[in-house]
Amino acid sequence: MTLTLGGCMMGDKLHLDLEAPRGSTVTYRGDTDPMPASLAVPRPGKVGAKAYRKELEFEFILGGEPIEAEGVLETYGYEEHDVDRLSKNFLKIQPSHIRDIERGSAIVLNGTSASGQHIYQLTVGQSR
């Protein structure tokens, strides 16, 4: 299933394959999808420019108990090389990250393209 996280921006989309433990979900604009989920988000053409900032909601399943969390996803412009076009971008939320969230910490995940350029930042913490 593909979620297209809106916004009308110049430039291409950044495609992220979002992964979390089995049974976890991501919610955007009231639509809840199981993970893994593929997100297509806007990115600017200008290298380093911040393109997109959107809130997401999560329900993680770890040890059978649901853990509700919310996050902010930001994407950045980068110069796309051949290796970037041929590669997938993964955003994997590990069980250790979810345990940190459950203990009240926020996690920050930064992603790079296959060519080593900063392409996203996801900050996630407990739902308020």
Side-chain angles (χ1 to χ4, degrees):
M1 178 158 296
T2 299
L3 294 174
T4 301
L5 303 180
C8 191
M9 308 270 324
M10 295 300 289
D12 296 335
K13 299 275 185 191
L14 171 64
H15 296 274
L16 294 174
D17 288 336
L18 183 61
E19 298 178 13
R22 186 182 190 129
S24 298
T25 61
V26 59
T27 301
Y28 172 72
R29 289 190 179 173
D31 292 328
T32 301
D33 292 293
M35 289 192 262
S38 182
L39 307 178
V41 296
R43 71 172 177 89
K46 185 176 178 184
V47 174
K50 190 186 308 185
Y52 176 80
R53 177 183 164 87
K54 197 63 182 173
E55 293 182 10
L56 303 173
E57 295 176 10
F58 298 93
E59 182 176 277
F60 299 114
I61 303 298
L62 194 59
E65 293 296 319
I67 299 159
E68 294 187 12
E70 55 190 41
V72 175
L73 176 66
E74 297 175 310
T75 60
Y76 299 88
Y78 63 99
E79 183 179 339
E80 192 172 64
H81 300 282
D82 288 341
V83 69
D84 299 320
R85 283 188 286 277
L86 297 171
S87 301
K88 287 188 169 197
N89 298 302
F90 293 97
L91 193 166
K92 188 166 186 169
I93 301 171
Q94 302 283 353
S96 61
H97 297 138
I98 297 168
R99 284 190 288 277
D100 288 344
I101 293 167
E102 187 176 34
R103 287 191 290 266
S105 296
I107 62 163
V108 178
L109 303 174
N110 287 289
T112 56
S113 68
S115 64
Q117 299 174 76
H118 187 222
I119 57 174
Y120 71 78
Q121 179 174 299
L122 175 67
T123 304
V124 182
Q126 283 184 345
S127 294
R128 296 179 218 155

